[in-house]
Amino acid sequence: MLIREEAKEIPVFYEADICVLGGSCTGVFAAVRAARLGARVVLVEKQNSFGGVATSGLVNVWHTLHNTEFNREIIAGLTLETIERLSRIGAVAEEKKSHSVGFVLNTEELKIELDQLTIENKVKVYLHTMFVAPFIQDGELQAVIVENKSGRGAIRAKVFIDATGDGDLCARLNLEHRLSSHFQPSTMCAKISGWGINGELQDDMTGNNSLIGLDIREARLLYKDEFNLPEGFGWGRHVPATKDTYMYAGTRVYHANSADGDQLTFSEMEGRRQVRAIMDLVRKYGPDNKIALVSLPSYIGTRETRHIECHYRLTGEDVLYGKSFEDSIAYGSYRSDIHHQDKPGLTLRYLDGEQVYMRPGYPNEVSRWRDKIAVNPSFYQIPYRCLLPKGPYTNIIAAGRMIDMDEDAFGGVRVMVNMNQTGEAAGVAAYLALTQNKRLADIDTGHLRKTMKAGGSIMI
């Protein structure tokens, strides 16, 4: 059944040089980099704050800014600047030489810091504002339709950056995209007080998952049927500058695509149900633990949905062998970390060739995905072409987890410190295309890299 919405004129809310859709750190960094170069930038975010999964999703970890040997810094730019700003107020804790965690953030303070970045750089901001549809005229993307408390309106711009995570603008432009048959499942995080007060943080994927007198990993495996808890994976970190608050990422919602309205609704409610089940388990079998649920995220932590078909698809081989690209705009060293849909646990593939399958409650299965070689790569690169959607529209660029990469590459590249850099690259590229009157695909990538470096990014 269909209903017809009558055509009507809508107001133009704002006109800008560059419009960024999505206010994760990726989107904020895109907007700030373009604004610092002199562009008039507008940033649209559906939530009440910036930061994406780091803030609204409660995931309070950024990974290392160094290579796997910890002897070379490979990431700087706005990621480093934000860490330094948070450090001044005691809102970040560093875990040095950790392959699992580089920095633990107080993400409530991060919300405020991101506000300050947009204000200082005169970015026009719309919070609580949903992207509705693209506006095409004469075959060109000229505006986006949005809706907020003021009603429905349009934002005009010359260049658009899709930093929505799910590639919403690209998808509604009917640009080619795909959903992996094994897309990584989502996780509902929670902040819990009274968790592991006497424990020390561990430098592994599970973090400090022990409560007083109760090993949560063993308990979850033993009582999973009683509390209807799927096997998955759990990890977490204490929140900096708090007494005993712990961010726990211990739920797993399988086979639900967050880019689908019905499935996203199910994921949110199922994730919360699992958090309650974990709390009930601890209350029953660890009665001496005085834990309390402090907060839940405003949306579930989505690992993967759409991937936009771009001018280049980054492969697992590119990542795991550390392939170099002349148009590289981002770097990372986080191992390929694949959360499975078809079995519990996850598989880690390291740049030195080691592979580990981790399933809580069972011994790790250690093997190799390749034979030993003389010199292992210590980081990988992301080329600019992975951000450029194929299709007829020449003034749109993607940034974030929906850029073009296969499943193995996605396992490592998807983490926030890597995606932050794609935002910075998209912001700089949008400015260069605008000022040089070029298509985004035609800008000089050497000039792009030089401009990024001048703005604080590391270019290798």
Side-chain angles (χ1 to χ4, degrees):
M1 180 178 177
L2 298 173
I3 63 172
R4 180 177 295 277
E5 181 181 14
E6 294 299 324
K8 61 180 180 181
E9 293 184 341
I10 60 172
V12 174
F13 284 166
Y14 196 76
E15 293 192 44
D17 296 322
I18 298 167
C19 174
V20 182
L21 291 182
S24 65
C25 291
T26 300
V28 172
F29 291 177
V32 169
R33 286 298 292 263
R36 285 181 175 177
L37 289 168
R40 189 181 189 193
V41 183
V42 59
L43 175 59
V44 178
E45 168 55 36
K46 63 184 178 182
Q47 297 285 329
N48 72 336
S49 65
F50 299 123
V53 75
T55 55
S56 296
L58 304 187
V59 180
N60 66 339
V61 163
W62 279 358
H63 295 93
T64 182
L65 308 187
H66 287 78
N67 64 0
T68 58
E69 305 297 325
F70 303 108
N71 58 12
R72 182 177 188 178
E73 191 174 33
I74 59 172
I75 302 171
L78 281 167
T79 298
L80 177 59
E81 180 180 329
T82 301
I83 289 169
E84 290 172 341
R85 292 166 70 117
L86 291 173
S87 296
R88 296 183 197 123
I89 56 172
V92 62
E94 184 176 3
E95 295 188 22
K96 294 183 178 180
K97 296 188 176 180
S98 167
H99 293 291
S100 299
V101 174
F103 301 90
V104 186
L105 313 175
N106 183 321
T107 55
E108 299 307 310
E109 296 281 11
L110 177 60
K111 291 178 182 178
I112 302 169
E113 210 60 54
L114 295 174
D115 284 346
Q116 292 301 312
L117 272 173
T118 61
I119 293 167
E120 291 167 11
N121 291 282
K122 297 180 174 56
V123 175
K124 174 63 178 177
V125 167
Y126 286 98
L127 296 175
H128 291 293
T129 300
M130 290 288 296
F131 161 67
V132 176
F135 174 75
I136 309 298
Q137 193 171 56
D138 299 326
E140 295 182 356
L141 174 60
Q142 296 193 1
V144 290
I145 309 302
V146 299
E147 191 152 357
N148 59 24
K149 288 291 186 180
S150 300
R152 183 169 292 203
I155 296 175
R156 286 189 172 274
K158 298 172 184 175
V159 184
F160 296 84
I161 299 174
D162 187 341
T164 59
D166 298 318
D168 291 332
L169 175 57
C170 291
R172 294 188 189 184
L173 285 167
N174 295 316
L175 299 180
E176 292 294 323
H177 59 274
R178 67 190 187 281
L179 178 70
S180 168
S181 59
H182 299 287
F183 66 91
Q184 297 204 27
S186 300
T187 290
M188 175 73 66
C189 298
K191 288 181 182 176
I192 301 171
S193 66
W195 185 292
I197 300 171
N198 297 327
E200 295 181 357
L201 296 181
Q202 301 172 14
D203 185 15
D204 60 19
M205 279 300 297
T206 56
N208 179 28
N209 276 345
S210 294
L211 294 151
I212 302 170
L214 178 72
D215 188 311
I216 191 65
R217 289 161 290 189
E218 293 180 1
R220 285 194 55 172
L221 190 62
L222 186 61
Y223 304 116
K224 62 183 176 65
D225 292 337
E226 178 181 351
F227 292 93
N228 190 22
L229 281 169
E231 282 191 68
F233 199 84
W235 67 277
R237 283 299 188 272
H238 283 88
V239 178
T242 65
K243 185 177 181 180
D244 67 344
T245 301
Y246 191 76
M247 189 289 295
Y248 182 53
T251 66
R252 182 66 61 90
V253 181
Y254 289 106
H255 308 296
N257 173 17
S258 291
D260 176 274
D262 285 340
Q263 294 181 55
L264 177 58
T265 299
F266 167 79
S267 293
E268 298 282 12
M269 298 178 72
E270 171 61 14
R272 288 192 287 269
R273 185 201 67 78
Q274 290 183 29
V275 171
R276 168 64 65 82
I278 292 166
M279 299 294 293
D280 287 345
L281 184 156
V282 175
R283 282 188 277 259
K284 182 174 181 178
Y285 292 104
D288 294 332
N289 292 283
K290 305 302 180 185
I291 65 169
L293 184 59
V294 174
S295 64
L296 289 167
S298 60
Y299 66 71
I300 195 167
T302 298
R303 288 188 175 88
E304 184 176 17
T305 56
R306 303 182 184 106
H307 288 286
I308 308 304
E309 300 281 344
C310 292
H311 288 240
Y312 184 80
R313 180 172 301 167
L314 192 67
T315 68
E317 185 172 318
D318 293 337
V319 168
L320 293 170
Y321 283 92
K323 182 178 178 180
S324 297
F325 298 93
E326 289 186 358
D327 63 337
S328 63
I329 44 78
Y331 309 92
S333 62
Y334 185 68
R335 63 280 180 104
S336 181
D337 166 3
I338 300 174
H339 294 248
H340 301 290
Q341 285 278 13
D342 56 348
K343 60 182 179 181
L346 54 81
T347 296
L348 304 176
R349 293 195 182 104
Y350 294 84
L351 299 187
D352 66 2
E354 184 176 83
Q355 177 170 296
V356 182
Y357 173 57
M358 304 177 73
R359 180 183 180 185
Y362 295 83
N364 291 345
E365 298 177 16
V366 181
S367 59
R368 296 193 65 82
W369 62 266
R370 65 158 168 81
D371 294 332
K372 292 183 178 180
I373 57 177
V375 179
N376 294 313
S378 63
F379 64 93
Y380 45 81
Q381 306 185 10
I382 304 172
Y384 174 63
R385 287 164 289 163
C386 290
L387 282 61
L388 295 174
K390 294 179 180 177
Y393 305 106
T394 61
N395 61 339
I396 181 172
I397 186 169
R401 59 179 167 82
M402 74 284 196
I403 65 172
D404 204 348
M405 44 189 162
D406 70 15
E407 294 171 4
D408 288 334
F410 180 79
V413 172
R414 65 181 172 83
V415 297
M416 287 183 272
V417 292
N418 297 341
M419 294 297 94
N420 292 351
Q421 299 170 79
T422 67
E424 294 186 69
V428 174
Y431 170 80
L432 293 178
L434 179 75
T435 55
Q436 296 173 5
N437 196 27
K438 289 184 176 181
R439 304 187 308 168
L440 282 157
D442 293 338
I443 66 168
D444 183 335
T445 55
H447 190 191
L448 169 63
R449 285 165 47 84
K450 288 179 182 177
T451 308
M452 290 184 68
K453 185 175 181 179
S457 298
I458 291 175
M459 291 288 112
I460 299 170

